[in-house]
Amino acid sequence: MGGALLLFVSLAACTSGTPDLPQSSDQPLIGATSPSPSASAGDATSTQEPSAAGFDNEFDGSSLDSTQWAVFSQSGVVSVHDGLLDVVTPPNVRNCPYIVTKSNVIPQDGPFFFETKYTRMSQGLIPAFCLDYLPAPQPNEAPVTQPFMALATSGSNVMLVFNLESGTRSYVIPNGAVIGATHRIRLEDDGSGNYRAIADETELGTFHSDRRPMKFWIGTNPPKDVAPNIWARMTFDYVKAALLTVPDPAMPASGASSTM
């Protein structure tokens, strides 16, 4: 767990200084030029609640919906094609893209579920995706809180890491790091802070927390203040969240355990 926690902290904690934003690529970028904080902070930190139907983005069309997402491509390329969100970072660069929902995706009250499906398309460090109280409005600014849920890499494992009042809890996603394998990640809350963490058709574990996340984001923010990395290419089939009416039929894994 130590390795996962260290990596998780490196993804979420503030780095010192403000690194230069990368130059634009000759490939078509979405949001390649980061607007000034005064111009976009209001958009990225909006507390507008989703509609009664919840949040459901299946990445149809040819670009992200600019009313739903704030995109900072940084050194990478963010594109939508074939029903997928595709996040690519060229080799040996520091800053992978940072993509955050403009509005809260989690309903304010009641039982809810959150679900996404991802595929690791190449070797490299997996850019985290997170459920967070409030991400930073701009790249390189400090998040207000640690993410409630984050994807983290620990050696050859990919893990779901949760920051709870009682400490950090993490679960290994079976075959989560396999290149080309698609994995469904789901989180459920019964409305009383009793959570289920699910990967594919397996319930990884249950826990209690009074924390209730709001937004969803992909990438690293602030970027890792380390030597250039090889970032894995990631695709996402959908991102959705809504009030929970029927619990998922996922069954607990045999001998499943978590670490604190």
Side-chain angles (χ1 to χ4, degrees):
M1 174 56 206
L5 180 57
L6 288 174
L7 176 58
F8 173 68
V9 171
S10 72
L11 293 176
C14 178
T15 58
S16 60
T18 303
D20 295 333
L21 290 176
Q23 300 299 312
S24 61
S25 167
D26 58 358
Q27 302 182 61
L29 302 184
I30 299 174
T33 302
S34 297
S36 66
S38 60
S40 68
D43 288 340
T45 60
S46 168
T47 56
Q48 173 186 348
E49 293 300 328
S51 68
F55 185 92
D56 189 351
N57 196 310
E58 305 211 7
F59 306 119
D60 297 326
S62 58
S63 63
L64 279 176
D65 184 342
S66 62
T67 67
Q68 293 184 318
W69 300 91
V71 181
F72 305 93
S73 293
Q74 307 197 102
S75 298
V77 177
V78 178
S79 63
V80 175
H81 58 84
D82 303 318
L84 298 171
L85 170 62
D86 195 348
V87 182
V88 182
T89 307
N92 298 316
V93 298
R94 176 175 176 235
N95 298 336
C96 70
Y98 171 47
I99 309 160
V100 58
T101 57
K102 287 186 174 181
S103 299
N104 300 339
V105 301
I106 303 299
Q108 185 174 13
D109 298 299
F112 73 86
F113 76 90
F114 167 85
E115 186 171 312
T116 188
K117 186 179 286 187
Y118 80 91
T119 306
R120 181 185 189 180
M121 301 298 293
S122 67
Q123 290 282 5
L125 188 63
I126 295 179
F129 58 79
C130 308
L131 279 173
D132 197 7
Y133 264 133
L134 187 63
Q138 290 285 306
N140 308 318
E141 293 183 2
V144 175
T145 65
Q146 287 188 324
F148 175 72
M149 180 192 86
L151 193 77
T153 307
S154 176
S156 60
N157 290 324
V158 173
M159 311 182 78
L160 278 180
V161 180
F162 295 90
N163 279 297
L164 312 177
E165 298 89 335
S166 57
T168 301
R169 185 177 297 238
S170 63
Y171 302 97
V172 175
I173 300 173
N175 302 313
V178 174
I179 295 172
T182 298
H183 295 283
R184 180 184 71 125
I185 302 300
R186 182 178 174 96
L187 183 68
E188 295 183 354
D189 172 20
D190 69 356
S192 299
N194 299 311
Y195 285 92
R196 300 172 71 209
I198 296 168
D200 302 320
E201 306 304 321
T202 301
E203 181 185 284
L204 301 177
T206 61
F207 55 87
H208 180 85
S209 175
D210 291 328
R211 292 191 66 177
R212 189 178 183 95
M214 297 191 307
K215 292 187 177 183
F216 174 73
W217 50 284
I218 302 167
T220 57
N221 184 49
K224 289 171 64 66
D225 192 14
V226 296
N229 286 291
I230 303 296
W231 293 101
R233 179 179 182 177
M234 299 281 286
T235 62
F236 294 83
D237 289 58
Y238 58 79
V239 175
K240 60 180 67 176
L243 291 173
L244 178 67
T245 56
V246 180
D248 193 85
M251 298 297 292
S254 175
S257 62
S258 69
T259 55
M260 292 291 289

